[in-house]
């Protein structure tokens, strides 16, 4: 009887710890991130705020034109971001990976036929 009780307690602790780990991983990503991007034509800066609901909202700002575009997307528990860039007729994608305090990925501007990579860190 004691063996079954201890097995049940052990199993319960393991389940609770695995649930806590998922929450901890997204909480590590939560906060403000920023960095730079570069492409075939355009270069600039980006900044994104990730909240506890896994929503990513921020800006994508060109150094050359000073235009600023909105970035809206979601981030998974394992740090994969899928977001859209948009402002008026300008559309594109902003995707990549966030882990620990480092982020990197690719972006496209479908309207101006430009694309490239981006890097950043957590503030």
């Amino acid at each position: 009887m004691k063996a079954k009780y201890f097995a049940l307690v052990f199993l319960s602790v393991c389940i609770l710890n695995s649930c806590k780990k998922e929450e901890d991983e997204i909480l590590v990503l939560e906060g403000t991130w920023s960095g730079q991007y570069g492409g075939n034509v355009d270069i600039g800066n980006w900044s994104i705020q990730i909240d506890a609901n896994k929503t990513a909202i921020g800006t994508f700002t060109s150094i050359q034109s000073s235009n600023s575009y909105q970035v809206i997307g979601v981030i998974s528990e394992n740090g994969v971001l899928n977001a859209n860039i948009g402002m008026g007729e300008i559309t594109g994608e902003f995707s990549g990976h966030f882990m620990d305090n480092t982020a990197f990925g690719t972006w496209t501007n479908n309207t101006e036929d430009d694309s490239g990579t981006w890097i950043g860190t957590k503030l």
Side-chain angles (χ1 to χ4, degrees):
M1 183 70 173
K2 283 184 179 180
K4 288 182 183 180
Y5 173 76
F6 285 117
L8 181 60
V9 169
F10 178 75
L11 182 61
S12 298
V13 169
C14 289
I15 291 171
L16 289 174
N17 281 338
S18 67
C19 292
K20 183 171 175 20
K21 186 176 181 192
E22 265 185 36
E23 291 173 8
D24 288 346
E25 287 176 6
I26 196 65
L27 291 177
V28 169
L29 299 176
E30 192 176 340
T32 303
W33 295 73
S34 69
Q36 298 78 39
Y37 71 89
N40 301 324
V41 177
D42 196 11
I43 61 170
N45 299 304
W46 62 269
S47 177
I48 290 178
Q49 177 71 35
I50 298 173
D51 67 19
N53 295 322
K54 305 174 196 161
T55 303
I57 298 175
T59 57
F60 188 82
T61 305
S62 170
I63 291 174
Q64 295 169 331
S65 69
S66 297
N67 289 336
S68 187
Y69 309 99
Q70 188 173 35
V71 177
I72 299 176
V74 295
I75 192 161
S76 69
E77 284 87 7
N78 61 352
V80 175
L81 173 72
N82 289 306
N84 292 316
I85 301 169
M87 185 179 114
E89 295 179 9
I90 305 293
T91 61
E93 295 176 7
F94 192 84
S95 59
H97 299 275
F98 288 66
M99 64 183 106
D100 299 322
N101 290 322
T102 305
F104 59 92
T106 60
W107 64 276
T108 59
N109 179 330
N110 299 330
T111 307
E112 296 179 3
D113 197 29
D114 195 10
S115 63
T117 59
W118 57 266
I119 59 169
T121 58
K122 186 174 182 183
L123 300 179

